[in-house]
Amino acid sequence: MTGPVDGQDVDRAGGFRAGRPAADRGRAGVGFERRPERRGRGGQRPTAGGRGRPTGRSAADLPRHAAYQAVAAVNRDDAYANLVLPAILRDADLVGRDAAFATELTYGTLRRLGTLDAILTEAAGRDVARIDPPVRDALRLGAYQLLHTRVPAHAAVSATVDLVRSVGPGATGFANAVLREVASRDVDAWVARLAPPLETDPIGHLALAYSHPQWIVRAFAEALGGDLGETTRLLIEDNERPPVHLCARPGLADPVALADEVGGAPGAFSPSAVYSGGGAPGDLPALIEGRAHVQDEGSQLVAEALTVAPLDGPDGRWLDLCAGPGGKSGLLGAIAAQRGARLTAVEVSEHRARLVQQATRDLPVTVLNTDGRTVGATPKLAEGHFDRALVDAPCTGLGSLRRRPESRWRRQPSDLPALTRLQRELLSAGLRAVRPGGLVAYVTCSPHVVETHVTVTEAARRAGVPVDFVDARPLLPTGMPGLGDGPTVQLWPHRHGTDAMFLAVLRRG
């Protein structure tokens, strides 16, 4: 099915991209394609997701309506775009460039939400919070088309007004006026008008210009040593559509052969990584057969680093202490199979534990549905039992905002205390779980210094067992740029083309 998979935007036909020539789309998306029409009982065409499709809606407007449904579900129901959009596309029978256009509108609007809302507030003469939510979401989609795609202005305005007519009939005149005001300037002119000066308020300026909450911009700048130029490059990369990365499971798939199979290319750094050439990953034989899975290259690199770190003594018992949904467990399990080791994968959520079981079928992996902090409470999760342990701790996810754009608007600084406490407890449990001389890799998909350096330093200090840091830089492929001074490593989208993964490797004394 065409659509976002695991937070990644996927386009079966490689069709629509932001900036595609306007002639490819026409007034209201004409030229986009749908599946052959299905018929239900009595010859009636099914409605999209049971939510109904406005009577008389033209086929050309279906991608916009699908995008509207997805954006509305995210903003109204706290849904996740990568979960709701595929079902919406399937129910609406959208494929190819139709599905790609709907995907671009959905993800692009969610990424640019902060800037779009500031512009709509100015254009409407009222705060967007005072606009009826269905109309507000339609206006966001229209503003995104006007400011960030090559859809002709008249087409974007006309199609959005038509959409408003179906979701808020009394607001068509208002919508038309607001969108025409939005169209009166390009995005750079709007930013120049609305953003605070870069010289006096750099964080505020970057937040509005690149559509990130100020606290996240500040956290990124701190993690990058205060370099605002590099912070800007990171924010720009966060707003780009990321490629789909596949993991060729060692011993089950050759990366070069898999790249040929999927029409892609081997990854730049991880020996297991493949950059997809397009298409829905769920349809690929390699994924169906368990030879590969979707996984960001950064996630592959930090898991592989644990397996190559030098270790004295036995090396047959491995642990993944926070295993759901199973991507890293699948990679570790495949490597363990080659080396005669066995992985214990621990996941506290019953649903996610089932996902881990599915992801590791036919691999030497035992899945435990329990809290990773209970190390020592059961013989299956005994203290001092394991040789290598991965602690991929729950975090804010600020390192994957390009794949999960709604997260930037949901996370708050107030989330950090509970998360960092959990991270310290899990890392302490991981250190108890390994034998003396054993290794623990602490990983987060966040560059926030409180979740990275502060957490790992505090957990090591409070561990109750001797702990030494291992320099993680030599554990990554030779030639990787921008790995810093060690001993920890922070990966970045703008430096490495990966999610912003943090890695610290500790050895229990």
Side-chain angles (χ1 to χ4, degrees):
M1 182 64 235
T2 305
V5 175
D6 193 30
Q8 305 189 59
D9 299 348
V10 180
D11 169 11
R12 178 187 297 262
F16 174 80
R17 293 185 63 85
R20 191 176 181 85
D24 286 356
R25 292 194 296 278
R27 177 179 178 278
V30 174
F32 290 89
E33 57 189 297
R34 289 182 295 156
R35 283 194 179 89
E37 187 173 53
R38 295 180 299 165
R39 295 286 176 178
R41 291 182 182 231
Q44 297 299 311
R45 196 182 188 286
T47 58
R51 288 173 286 277
R53 184 179 290 121
T55 303
R57 176 165 299 281
S58 70
D61 283 338
L62 289 177
R64 289 181 173 90
H65 187 62
Y68 167 79
Q69 288 181 298
V71 169
V74 168
N75 292 325
R76 181 189 63 232
D77 305 327
D78 286 339
Y80 292 93
N82 67 308
L83 299 181
V84 299
L85 183 57
I88 291 170
L89 298 179
R90 181 177 61 250
D91 291 345
D93 295 332
L94 297 178
V95 296
R97 289 189 296 165
D98 255 353
F101 187 35
T103 298
E104 173 61 31
L105 291 184
T106 299
Y107 275 75
T109 299
L110 293 173
R111 289 187 183 107
R112 302 283 184 171
L113 199 61
T115 307
L116 295 175
D117 279 2
I119 294 169
L120 288 169
T121 291
E122 180 73 7
R126 70 179 75 166
D127 194 288
V128 290
R130 295 175 53 205
I131 300 174
D132 188 44
V135 176
R136 181 171 62 219
D137 286 332
L139 289 174
R140 287 163 167 167
L141 286 162
Y144 179 77
Q145 293 170 68
L146 287 168
L147 299 172
H148 293 287
T149 76
R150 294 184 185 177
V151 174
H154 67 88
V157 172
S158 174
T160 305
V161 170
D162 286 345
L163 178 59
V164 169
R165 185 174 289 111
S166 70
V167 300
T172 54
F174 169 73
N176 184 68
V178 170
L179 291 170
R180 291 187 182 280
E181 179 64 18
V182 171
S184 68
R185 297 177 178 86
D186 64 18
V187 67
D188 292 335
W190 275 115
V191 168
R193 176 183 175 92
L194 299 176
L198 181 64
E199 297 76 17
T200 58
D201 186 2
I203 298 300
H205 180 91
L206 293 176
L208 190 141
Y210 299 106
S211 196
H212 285 68
Q214 289 194 29
W215 76 274
I216 293 180
V217 177
R218 191 173 293 109
F220 286 170
E222 183 180 3
L224 288 165
D227 187 328
L228 293 180
E230 192 169 10
T231 302
T232 301
R233 292 193 291 275
L234 170 60
L235 297 174
I236 291 171
E237 191 65 29
D238 255 0
N239 287 332
E240 293 298 316
R241 180 179 180 178
V244 176
H245 294 174
L246 305 177
C247 176
R249 293 185 170 184
L252 299 174
D254 175 76
V256 175
L258 180 61
D260 290 340
E261 183 180 330
V262 302
F269 302 115
S270 167
S272 304
V274 171
Y275 302 156
S276 174
D283 295 339
L284 297 174
L287 272 72
I288 295 171
E289 297 162 6
R291 295 184 285 117
H293 59 267
V294 175
Q295 186 177 39
D296 179 77
E297 187 174 15
S299 293
Q300 298 175 42
L301 287 165
V302 295
E304 290 162 344
L306 173 63
T307 70
V308 301
L311 178 67
D312 294 329
D315 192 16
R317 295 179 295 203
W318 297 3
L319 174 67
D320 185 351
L321 201 60
C322 313
K328 294 183 182 68
S329 291
L331 175 55
L332 291 174
I335 297 173
Q338 291 186 304
R339 290 166 48 174
R342 184 164 193 89
L343 176 73
T344 298
V346 177
E347 173 53 48
V348 66
S349 161
E350 183 178 353
H351 169 67
R352 288 166 67 88
R354 288 196 297 270
L355 294 178
V356 178
Q357 289 178 323
Q358 295 168 12
T360 59
R361 64 184 185 276
D362 301 325
L363 294 174
V365 177
T366 300
V367 179
L368 299 181
N369 179 202
T370 190
D371 191 325
R373 292 172 291 182
T374 61
V375 168
T378 171
K380 293 181 179 180
L381 196 56
E383 290 191 20
H385 178 74
F386 298 94
D387 305 306
R388 300 178 189 266
L390 175 68
V391 180
D392 181 16
C395 66
T396 56
L398 301 187
S400 60
L401 297 184
R402 57 187 188 150
R403 301 194 189 280
R404 295 175 175 85
E406 64 274 355
S407 294
R408 71 182 74 178
W409 312 116
R410 291 181 181 170
R411 283 299 188 186
Q412 301 294 330
S414 57
D415 297 332
L416 285 165
L419 279 171
T420 54
R421 182 171 59 252
L422 175 60
Q423 291 159 3
R424 290 194 302 269
E425 292 171 352
L426 287 166
L427 179 51
S428 296
L431 290 167
R432 295 198 312 272
V434 297
R435 60 171 174 81
L439 293 165
V440 176
Y442 172 77
V443 168
T444 63
C445 187
S446 171
H448 199 300
V449 293
V450 174
E451 297 188 272
T452 57
H453 296 285
V454 173
T455 288
V456 74
T457 301
E458 280 297 298
R461 184 177 66 84
R462 302 179 187 182
V465 296
V467 176
D468 295 315
F469 280 84
V470 176
D471 191 345
R473 294 171 299 171
L475 308 180
L476 297 172
T478 303
M480 281 196 73
L483 296 183
D485 300 326
T488 63
V489 164
Q490 179 68 63
L491 302 179
W492 295 101
H494 66 292
R495 288 185 189 175
H496 309 107
T498 68
D499 289 347
M501 303 296 298
F502 173 82
L503 169 66
V505 179
L506 303 96
R507 189 186 307 276
R508 177 175 172 176

